[in-house]
Amino acid sequence: MTTESDSFPRRHARTQRFTLGAPRSFTVAPDGSRVAYLRSASGTDRANSLWVLDPSDGTEHLAADPHALLGGASEDLPPAERARRERSREGSAGIVGYATDDAVELASFALSGRLFTAELRAGTARALSVPGPVIDPRPSPDGRLVAYVSGGALRVVGAEGEGDRAVAEPESESVSYGLAEFIAAEEMGRSRGYWWSPESDRLLVARVDDTPVERWWISDPAQPKRDPQHVPYPAAGTANAEVRLFVFGLDGVRTEVVWDRARYPYLARVHWSGAGAPLLLVQARDQRSQLFLAVDGDTGATRMVHADEDPIWLDLFPGVPCWSPSGQLVRIADEGGARVLAVGERPLTGAQLHVRAVLDVTSDDVLVSASAGQDAERPEIGEVHVYRVNELGVERISQEPGVHTAVRAGGVTVLVSATPDRPGSVARVLRDGKPVATVRSHAEDPGLSPRVTLTEGGARRIPCAVLMPRDYPGDTSQPDRAGGTDRPARPLLPVLLDPYGGPHGPRVLAAHNAHLTSQWFADQGFAVVVADGRGTPGRSPAWEKAVHHDFTVSLDDQIEALQDLAKTHPLDLDRVAIRGWSYGGWLAGLAVLRRPDVFHAGIAGAPVTDWRLYDTHYTERYLGDPGALPDVYARSSLVTDEGLSAPAEPHRPLMIVHGLADDNVVVAHALRLSSALLSAGRPHEVLPLSGVTHMTPQEQVAENLLLLQVDFLKRALRPA
């Protein structure tokens, strides 16, 4: 139980960044009569239950309680489920995901490797006796069957537990049916590997063969008796898993789906609805060309619906491709220098919107999330809104400044909104656009309100967030230097840059909780600057693609933003540190090694120090083939001669933090950087985290990691 006397780091860790207890994973029934969602019982309870809300009166009932279903026993997660949660950065427990039939009457989910179903109208749940461990169970659209994966096989059982049978069984230990391969789940946003037909009589099933993939060992040196994990990891320039796709009848008869897999090996998206034939999006390995293919379910033959090419790369987006109810292709594309929504061959949006995702498609409109585009009248820094789009125009659904998303069906919309002036998020239920209910949240109040200014920095108008200590006097967005004002100059503060700074990771958001950790660092005596430079999403395709073949432009933009903001904020440029995790960790290491004239200390958390050790789909999209472009990789590396090319003096303190169990950015990155620094005579600190993966969900680890970082920064920068 969290108390007022607990420190912010402890409460931040215990509540998983104040996300526990908040409703999530919404599903709306097609008749608008029910809204299903997950929520834990309190802001410190990790175990999610499945709930159902009635929009007509706002009442809710419990459909499935993991504590009751497991009889009070603790969860025992199978390795495949742990891997799935790591790929999705899932740190909670209980029911972390569920699937429903088309009517949203039957739900299925896995607990401790066992299969459970829930009748959402009645609010009853039960276990089905099937071979385990169970992964990713999904009801058929008609609710009569449930498919699931166990032991690499795709199996089907009746909704009452009868007639369990295997539909597809693996031919070897390296083969699985119905699961997403590593890079699909980690980088493509495709977390599943099978799809029901609308008629519930067939399934599209991905077959993954990891035989070609190099094997790496992931061990825990703190537990020498424990066997290391032998995992397939497709590093840049090496072989990927072989992915094929089959149509399986419920009798086990299979038909292979045929396309040019040699030219387009990446199965990026699959969509199967009653509006048309199964729809695939397949990509070339260099991700500069892709095909939208319609599948003949009887023969497995495919026909091209649309093709895209881009000289730099093609992005993937949530919710597309799909068919509209009239059978037109719905996609998001980079056209005319803007990111647009296209239905058929016609773009429905222009440069005023930067479309991020498709949320719902009806015969009347398309619901999308988008930020202001490059031609917008005002920047709306850090805001993401929900819009209705059709041939008549664009209507914004979310009104208050903030970050919004939505789920919609049957005239009912669940609008989830996070704003700068309110902790957490609010889930409002709208019917025909009018609020009818609010889904209760049990998330804890952080007890901390960020003192944040959203602004732009530098000639490139880089989106920035500036956070000052809450007890710092006066208006911190006005100049303090000589000639700037008539008032006495206030003391300059040491600066902490706190970026992610790379693709897919915007941090400058118009939302309260997005800045909590940065505010806590500010309250320790720092001015904190968060900058989303080129490469981060949200402005234009050209902005995002500026990092092509050169990640180091991310550092250039951090410096530009810092130096420009110092003209209008009390920033001490003689005391500047930078911290970050993953891409941000790499950026922190790059900063102190390449620009010791600007940065005086850095904390590199789980940094990708050698991009040849990171996975294919991500790394090759941005940096190309390492065999063909070794100089590109050297320029963005921290461990090559070029990576350590900065002058040996002055030495800048660098703390390297890495989880020893990380299977995404493996600890070899940190060890190679430490070895290179040692060989170059550069002092540094290494903080190994035993048993920790790329996430740090362990409460004590997460808490103490924040405290240790502050201690390091205070030693390096000496704040008042």
Side-chain angles (χ1 to χ4, degrees):
M1 185 69 181
T2 298
T3 66
E4 292 184 1
S5 62
D6 287 336
S7 68
F8 172 83
R10 180 171 290 274
R11 290 184 291 114
H12 185 259
R14 185 172 298 165
T15 61
Q16 293 193 356
R17 302 175 179 87
F18 302 97
T19 61
L20 298 180
R24 47 173 273 199
S25 305
F26 294 95
T27 306
V28 182
D31 61 1
S33 63
R34 287 175 305 286
V35 176
Y37 51 95
L38 300 177
R39 188 183 60 206
S40 63
S42 74
T44 57
D45 183 4
R46 294 178 59 241
N48 289 300
S49 297
L50 179 60
W51 291 84
V52 176
L53 179 138
D54 184 343
S56 66
D57 58 12
T59 60
E60 59 181 14
H61 67 262
L62 181 62
D65 178 358
H67 299 292
L69 293 174
L70 294 179
S74 58
E75 287 186 82
D76 182 16
L77 296 180
E81 178 62 21
R82 290 185 186 275
R84 277 172 51 85
R85 296 188 185 191
E86 182 67 25
R87 302 284 71 78
S88 63
R89 308 297 187 263
E90 176 61 70
S92 62
I95 306 171
V96 300
Y98 67 98
T100 72
D101 61 356
D102 276 357
V104 192
E105 293 185 351
L106 179 73
S108 64
F109 52 90
L111 280 173
S112 285
R114 298 167 58 194
L115 173 59
F116 292 85
T117 61
E119 297 284 350
L120 297 181
R121 285 183 185 271
T124 57
R126 63 171 179 161
L128 301 186
S129 180
V130 298
V134 169
I135 306 294
D136 194 24
R138 294 179 177 271
S140 58
D142 63 10
R144 298 174 59 188
L145 301 168
V146 179
Y148 64 97
V149 179
S150 180
L154 181 70
R155 305 182 67 88
V156 171
V157 64
E160 300 296 322
E162 77 284 0
D164 181 85
R165 60 201 183 277
V167 173
E169 295 187 275
E171 296 83 1
S172 69
E173 290 185 357
S174 62
V175 172
S176 66
Y177 284 93
L179 295 178
E181 74 275 22
F182 176 91
I183 55 170
E186 182 69 41
E187 307 297 359
M188 299 183 200
R190 177 171 67 78
S191 60
R192 55 190 295 196
Y194 71 92
W195 299 264
W196 278 102
S197 71
E199 298 79 20
S200 303
D201 60 346
R202 293 180 291 180
L203 299 108
L204 270 172
V205 185
R207 178 188 185 271
V208 175
D209 185 353
D210 280 329
T211 302
V213 184
E214 290 184 351
R215 262 51 180 178
W216 287 6
W217 295 97
I218 307 293
S219 62
D220 186 355
Q223 303 291 336
K225 293 183 179 180
R226 186 176 298 168
D227 288 339
Q229 292 180 275
H230 202 194
V231 298
Y233 191 94
T238 69
N240 283 308
E242 181 186 75
V243 180
R244 298 160 67 186
L245 191 66
F246 293 87
V247 179
F248 277 90
L250 294 180
D251 56 2
V253 174
R254 71 181 189 177
T255 303
E256 183 165 7
V257 177
V258 179
W259 77 92
D260 186 356
R261 290 191 297 110
R263 177 72 181 92
Y264 300 96
Y266 289 138
L267 178 63
R269 294 285 187 270
V270 178
H271 167 78
W272 202 353
S273 70
L279 181 62
L280 313 181
L281 174 57
V282 295
Q283 282 191 327
R285 178 150 178 171
D286 64 9
Q287 300 171 65
R288 296 180 182 182
S289 62
Q290 62 188 20
L291 301 179
F292 299 79
L293 303 174
V295 179
D296 184 321
D298 295 324
T299 67
T302 57
R303 63 176 176 85
M304 188 179 71
V305 179
H306 184 83
D308 282 333
E309 291 189 356
D310 189 282
I312 303 177
W313 73 69
L314 291 158
D315 272 306
L316 300 172
F317 305 101
V320 288
C322 64
W323 298 119
S324 72
S326 62
Q328 291 185 293
L329 177 67
V330 181
R331 60 191 176 92
I332 297 172
D334 294 346
E335 296 182 1
R339 181 148 299 152
V340 303
L341 170 71
V343 178
E345 293 300 318
R346 180 181 176 184
L348 296 186
T349 61
Q352 290 77 22
L353 284 188
H354 187 76
V355 181
R356 295 169 176 256
V358 167
L359 307 174
D360 184 45
V361 181
T362 69
S363 57
D364 296 324
D365 59 38
V366 180
L367 199 69
V368 304
S369 68
S371 47
Q374 55 190 351
D375 288 355
E377 293 182 2
R378 57 192 182 94
E380 293 185 338
I381 299 169
E383 296 187 34
V384 181
H385 287 279
V386 176
Y387 297 84
R388 289 179 62 241
V389 181
N390 58 28
E391 293 185 354
L392 300 178
V394 175
E395 177 190 2
R396 195 166 100 176
I397 302 301
S398 51
Q399 296 303 319
E400 55 185 343
V403 177
H404 308 264
T405 188
V407 177
R408 183 182 70 171
V412 170
T413 301
V414 179
L415 180 66
V416 182
S417 304
T419 63
D421 56 355
R422 183 180 60 227
S425 59
V426 174
R428 297 184 177 92
V429 181
L430 315 178
R431 186 183 291 279
D432 299 325
K434 299 179 180 179
V436 294
T438 299
V439 185
R440 283 190 296 168
S441 174
H442 303 313
E444 292 204 354
D445 189 315
L448 180 70
S449 293
R451 184 180 182 180
V452 59
T453 301
L454 298 179
T455 185
E456 294 178 329
R460 294 189 181 92
R461 297 175 54 210
I462 299 163
C464 297
V466 182
L467 298 103
M468 306 298 291
R470 286 174 295 165
D471 61 358
Y472 194 83
D475 181 358
T476 59
S477 63
Q478 298 299 321
D480 282 292
R481 288 164 173 76
T485 66
D486 294 330
R487 67 175 184 270
R490 291 163 295 153
L492 301 181
L493 293 174
V495 186
L496 173 63
L497 269 66
D498 193 13
Y500 179 77
H504 309 294
R507 290 215 54 224
V508 180
L509 298 172
H512 181 281
N513 285 22
H515 304 289
L516 291 175
T517 305
S518 295
Q519 183 61 58
W520 180 76
F521 275 101
D523 288 343
Q524 313 310 306
F526 302 94
V528 178
V529 173
V530 182
D532 280 353
R534 286 170 293 173
T536 55
R539 175 172 289 183
S540 70
W543 179 268
E544 296 179 12
K545 295 176 182 179
V547 296
H548 188 230
H549 288 178
D550 188 4
F551 277 155
T552 66
V553 301
S554 301
L555 178 59
D556 297 338
D557 287 1
Q558 297 293 316
I559 295 172
E560 179 180 331
L562 168 70
Q563 294 178 339
D564 186 59
L565 291 172
K567 300 173 184 177
T568 53
H569 294 77
L571 310 182
D572 186 348
L573 296 185
D574 292 327
R575 292 185 291 168
V576 178
I578 181 172
R579 69 181 284 269
W581 193 267
S582 198
Y583 189 99
W586 165 81
L587 188 55
L590 186 77
V592 296
L593 294 176
R594 299 278 180 94
R595 296 301 303 271
D597 57 317
V598 176
F599 297 95
H600 307 91
I603 300 172
V608 183
T609 64
D610 184 349
W611 289 100
R612 295 170 300 178
L613 291 180
Y614 201 59
D615 70 55
T616 52
H617 192 270
Y618 181 98
T619 314
E620 293 171 12
R621 179 194 306 136
Y622 305 117
L623 301 183
D625 179 357
L629 299 167
D631 293 344
V632 169
Y633 278 73
R635 184 163 58 248
S636 294
S637 172
L638 301 185
V639 298
T640 60
D641 290 339
E642 187 167 350
L644 296 170
S645 60
E649 297 288 346
H651 291 307
R652 298 305 189 195
L654 175 63
M655 172 187 280
I656 305 168
V657 184
H658 217 120
L660 299 181
D662 196 333
D663 66 351
N664 177 28
V665 183
V666 295
V667 73
H669 287 275
L671 297 178
R672 290 189 182 188
L673 176 58
S674 179
S675 295
L677 293 172
L678 187 62
S679 296
R682 295 173 181 265
H684 60 283
E685 302 177 21
V686 178
L687 179 61
L689 306 177
S690 178
V692 172
T693 63
H694 202 58
M695 303 186 291
T696 53
Q698 298 91 335
E699 182 178 319
Q700 288 183 321
V701 171
E703 175 190 9
N704 290 323
L705 188 54
L706 286 177
L707 296 173
L708 289 170
Q709 289 180 70
V710 164
D711 178 69
F712 172 82
L713 293 171
K714 287 183 175 180
R715 285 187 280 119
L717 299 187
R718 304 177 307 281

